Amino acid sequence: MDIIRRIECLRREMACEGIDIYIVPSADCHGSEYVGDYFKIRQYLTGFTGSAGTAVFTRDKAGLWTDGRYYIQAEEQLKGSGIHLYRMGEPDTDTIEEFLEKELPAGGVIGFDGKVTELTVGDKYKEIAERKGGHVLADFDLADRFWKERPALPGEKVWSLDEKYAGESVPSKLERIRKKMTSYGADVHLLSSLDDISWLFNIRGNDVAYCPVVLAFAIIEKDGGRIFADKEKFPVDILNMLQGNNITVSSYESVYAAAQNLSGRRVLLDPERTNYHLYYSIPDTAEIIKAENPSILMKSIKNGTEADNIRTAHLKDGIAHTRFLYWLKKSIGKVPITEISAARKLEEFRAEQENFLGPSFAPISAAGSHGAIVHYSATEDSDMELQEGTLYLSDTGGHYLEGSTDITRTVALGNVPEEQKKHFTIVARGMLRLANAVFLYGSSGVTLDALAREVFWKERLNFNHGTGHGVGYLLNIHEPPINFRWREGAQPSRIFEENMVITDEPGIYIEGSHGIRLENELLVRKDVKNEYGQFMRFEILTFVPIDLDALVPECMSEDEKHLLNTYHKNVYEKISPYLNEEEKAWLRYATRPI
């Protein structure tokens, strides 16, 4: 009933402003994947809690567009709201743009908050409205008028990431950025994405749950620059560091006035990471150079210090996760364990590791049929007890000063049905095959994705998410520009460079029955170079056993068995020195050759 009432309030405000269709993305002012509570307007209006999705409201219809990770979750959470679920990418499903073309009346008005709408998206809405003889209104955050309990903007303190972890100084990073600005002929770089700003200035914060970034904009010039953020959040040592680099701190909202003062300047900005309102605050007399933020690729290619630190982070994470699996296997059926209590127990093991800062994303702790919900999040109402004879899926990660981790393990709690074991074996085979790829430099995630999916496709199976994503260094756990996917998306797939970090996470999801995903992180490495070119390979970073109790070895080739045995040998060698005797004995058995 709350959702229905909120939509009624929204429609009253739409009528007041003469808006025919109002669009609410899952976004903040920075194009972030995960957003702070202040920006969770779409969740407030729809009740859908997934991280990705766009809600569209007409005077008498409401729709939510989301991707394959959230179909099951959204279907459940939208029940009784009157909001129709549009499954993005599915045949015969209208895109948002197609829906607008059909539903917007002649001379109609499309409304949205331009501060939380990406430039490229807002421009599409504008084009559609103008084709219909109408226009857009991009200055209204309508929900703010009736969301009485709306959280405030975050005020968390900023902290500095020491160079022994970052591996590069702020002056060095600024110099690299300015060289790219020069190559583009720009004298100003407008930067909106939170992870890029945090990376560039070696600062971190807690303004977004699970993402240690600082809520800020930045303008970089050839001899200085400004950060737009709450100055009260910055300790003196960081303000002094910024001042030493001729960087001043101005208020968060003043970035829009600063943009209006860029008349006559040559401004480099990323249209995919700049909000609509900010872009159109820049005077027409400025020359705008549209290109990807230079820092996107820079931070994706980890330096040597970062790569070494990341190995350390994964060793710590492997110790914690292995101890958790031992505890889980020994405790199931003896003490009550629920999805939430299991996730908390795993975090306790992580917290025992030095320099652990917290989880890197909301834990996916899914028992039985909940595993089929790709991005399931347990609540007090849904918190299922783990039962013998079922599968349990745990997709979690940790932030350490040495880097961030993302790992998924699905385990058998006692004996599980044969079909589930066969599905588990397919997932394990796909993950192992991709992790052990050797490829020529110039390959991308589209080139390699079929190495994981081939074993699924031969069984006429598939999964509706990418096979892997880039991982940030104590930043966003989902980091562009690299990924594994079987077909090109809106942006061409990027080639793999040495020291990039990417996940390897195929899965199978059977609605109402079970879900299986296995995930390791990989580091891109150079291999041999010969007359055919530079060969590349992956170094596996994650060292946690794959549950042999859920495996059917007879369904694996000899080569696949060898890959698994080699992996398990490495897991035992790296992790066992940090375990007690009982844990070590269990790990020896859990990593036995098959």
Side-chain angles (χ1 to χ4, degrees):
M1 292 301 296
D2 282 345
I3 299 302
I4 293 171
R5 181 183 58 80
R6 291 168 188 172
I7 294 173
E8 289 173 352
C9 291
L10 177 70
R11 286 182 170 138
R12 281 198 295 269
E13 298 299 334
M14 289 169 60
C16 286
E17 301 295 344
I19 294 171
D20 296 286
I21 301 179
Y22 190 72
I23 304 169
V24 183
S26 306
D28 58 13
C29 303
H30 308 272
S32 306
E33 178 182 8
Y34 299 106
V35 302
D37 290 343
Y38 175 87
F39 294 103
K40 292 182 178 178
I41 305 168
R42 186 229 62 216
Q43 178 176 319
Y44 173 75
L45 290 172
T46 66
F48 170 60
T49 60
S51 67
T54 298
V56 181
F57 301 91
T58 72
R59 299 291 179 90
D60 57 3
K61 294 180 181 179
L64 176 84
W65 278 255
T66 192
D67 61 56
R69 297 172 296 171
Y70 296 107
Y71 290 164
I72 300 173
Q73 176 183 342
E75 195 77 61
E76 182 66 28
Q77 292 182 327
L78 295 178
K79 282 181 181 176
S81 68
I83 302 170
H84 179 72
L85 173 61
Y86 289 84
R87 298 172 179 244
M88 293 170 61
E90 291 287 292
D92 303 321
T93 296
D94 282 343
T95 64
I96 293 174
E97 290 79 8
E98 289 168 339
F99 178 87
L100 296 177
E101 293 276 9
K102 292 177 181 179
E103 297 293 331
L104 186 68
V109 176
I110 298 174
F112 55 90
D113 181 359
K115 290 184 177 180
V116 297
T117 301
E118 291 178 10
L119 168 63
T120 52
V121 175
D123 278 342
K124 288 178 184 177
Y125 300 155
K126 184 179 178 182
E127 290 169 7
I128 292 169
E130 290 176 346
R131 281 200 297 271
K132 292 275 190 132
H135 62 279
V136 299
L137 290 177
D139 298 324
F140 297 112
D141 177 2
L142 295 182
D144 192 56
R145 300 178 181 181
F146 54 87
W147 188 0
K148 302 303 182 185
E149 307 83 20
R150 186 173 189 173
L153 284 170
E156 299 287 337
K157 290 295 184 183
V158 180
W159 51 278
S160 178
L161 185 66
D162 194 277
E163 199 173 323
K164 69 180 180 181
Y165 300 113
E168 185 179 6
S169 67
V170 173
S172 173
K173 291 180 178 181
L174 284 168
E175 182 181 6
R176 287 206 283 156
I177 293 292
R178 287 173 176 140
K179 283 182 179 178
K180 289 296 293 185
M181 289 168 57
T182 300
S183 72
Y184 282 117
D187 49 27
V188 175
H189 178 30
L190 178 57
L191 195 56
S192 298
S193 40
L194 304 183
D195 56 334
D196 289 304
I197 293 167
S198 295
W199 173 85
L200 177 58
F201 295 107
N202 285 346
I203 56 175
R204 298 295 188 269
N206 296 294
D207 287 342
V208 179
Y210 308 111
C211 303
V213 293
V214 180
L215 197 67
F217 296 92
I219 289 180
I220 309 301
E221 301 182 84
K222 290 187 175 180
D223 57 357
R226 274 188 285 175
I227 292 176
F228 301 87
D230 180 1
K231 191 173 182 178
E232 297 300 314
K233 297 170 14 176
F234 287 73
V236 173
D237 62 327
I238 293 180
L239 289 174
N240 289 340
M241 178 275 290
L242 294 172
Q243 186 177 19
N245 287 284
N246 201 23
I247 305 292
T248 59
V249 179
S250 302
S251 68
Y252 179 67
E253 284 291 336
S254 67
V255 67
Y256 298 100
Q260 292 171 357
N261 291 326
L262 293 176
S263 179
R265 310 295 295 277
R266 296 186 301 275
V267 183
L268 171 65
L269 59 80
D270 189 336
E272 300 289 337
R273 296 172 177 85
T274 302
N275 74 56
Y276 184 92
H277 186 80
L278 182 58
Y279 179 85
Y280 284 107
S281 297
I282 301 171
D284 292 338
T285 53
E287 179 186 344
I288 296 179
I289 302 163
K290 296 181 180 180
E292 182 181 82
N293 289 333
S295 47
I296 297 289
L297 188 59
M298 291 178 186
K299 75 177 187 298
S300 177
I301 302 172
K302 281 34 177 185
N303 58 52
T305 299
E306 288 175 315
D308 286 341
N309 287 339
I310 288 168
R311 293 183 180 98
T312 299
H314 278 279
L315 176 62
K316 294 178 178 181
D317 212 60
I319 295 164
H321 210 294
T322 299
R323 294 186 63 213
F324 167 73
L325 290 181
Y326 166 77
W327 169 84
L328 180 63
K329 288 282 191 176
K330 296 298 182 182
S331 301
I332 191 69
K334 298 177 183 177
V335 297
I337 304 172
T338 70
E339 294 167 330
I340 291 177
S341 69
R344 287 174 179 164
K345 188 68 175 179
L346 176 52
E347 186 171 340
E348 287 176 16
F349 283 117
R350 284 193 169 109
E352 294 173 4
Q353 298 296 316
E354 186 181 10
N355 292 337
F356 175 71
L357 301 176
S360 56
F361 54 95
I364 299 171
S365 179
S369 60
H370 285 168
I373 305 172
V374 180
H375 272 210
Y376 171 75
S377 181
T379 66
E380 295 296 336
D381 292 333
S382 70
D383 188 21
M384 188 185 295
E385 186 170 341
L386 278 58
Q387 300 286 346
E388 290 187 272
T390 64
L391 293 173
Y392 168 65
L393 186 155
S394 169
D395 184 347
T396 64
H399 285 308
Y400 303 82
L401 285 176
E402 294 86 1
S404 306
T405 67
D406 183 359
I407 173 177
T408 307
R409 286 296 182 266
T410 304
V411 297
L413 305 176
N415 191 34
V416 298
E418 194 67 17
E419 180 192 42
Q420 295 183 16
K421 289 184 177 182
K422 288 181 178 178
H423 283 169
F424 181 96
T425 306
I426 290 170
V427 175
R429 292 170 62 208
M431 186 184 77
L432 290 164
R433 287 157 63 97
L434 180 56
N436 286 275
V438 176
F439 53 97
L440 276 168
Y441 176 78
S443 297
S444 70
V446 171
T447 311
L448 301 177
D449 185 84
L451 292 175
R453 288 190 196 258
E454 182 190 22
V455 295
F456 293 80
W457 290 346
K458 283 186 175 179
E459 300 296 328
R460 308 309 187 263
L461 296 166
N462 195 32
F463 48 95
N464 286 321
H465 59 74
T467 309
H469 57 82
V471 179
Y473 185 103
L474 197 50
L475 289 167
N476 296 345
I477 203 67
H478 294 157
E479 182 179 83
I482 58 170
N483 51 54
F484 289 119
R485 60 189 182 199
W486 65 273
R487 59 183 173 185
E488 290 287 8
Q491 298 295 326
S493 192
R494 301 291 285 272
I495 66 172
F496 291 126
E497 303 284 353
E498 186 174 32
N499 278 357
M500 287 178 163
V501 177
I502 190 167
T503 65
D504 171 10
E505 48 180 311
I508 287 177
Y509 311 95
I510 308 300
E511 187 172 352
S513 176
H514 61 277
I516 301 161
R517 186 164 62 254
L518 295 171
E519 175 186 21
N520 283 346
E521 283 189 33
L522 312 174
L523 181 71
V524 181
R525 299 290 305 277
K526 285 183 178 178
D527 197 78
V528 302
K529 185 176 183 179
N530 59 24
E531 67 271 25
Y532 301 106
Q534 176 66 62
F535 283 89
M536 311 290 286
R537 61 181 177 84
F538 295 118
E539 174 188 335
I540 299 175
L541 293 169
T542 308
F543 292 99
V544 175
I546 295 168
D547 190 12
L548 298 180
D549 294 339
L551 199 74
V552 183
E554 294 77 19
C555 293
M556 302 177 72
S557 69
E558 291 304 312
D559 184 52
E560 290 165 349
K561 291 178 187 177
H562 174 72
L563 294 177
L564 179 57
N565 289 339
T566 300
Y567 175 71
H568 272 163
K569 180 175 181 290
N570 290 333
V571 169
Y572 185 81
E573 289 177 352
K574 286 183 177 291
I575 302 300
S576 62
Y578 302 93
L579 306 179
N580 64 37
E581 290 306 313
E582 289 184 0
E583 293 167 335
K584 189 180 297 186
W586 173 84
L587 182 60
R588 186 185 300 278
Y589 180 74
T591 57
R592 66 193 181 278
I594 59 169

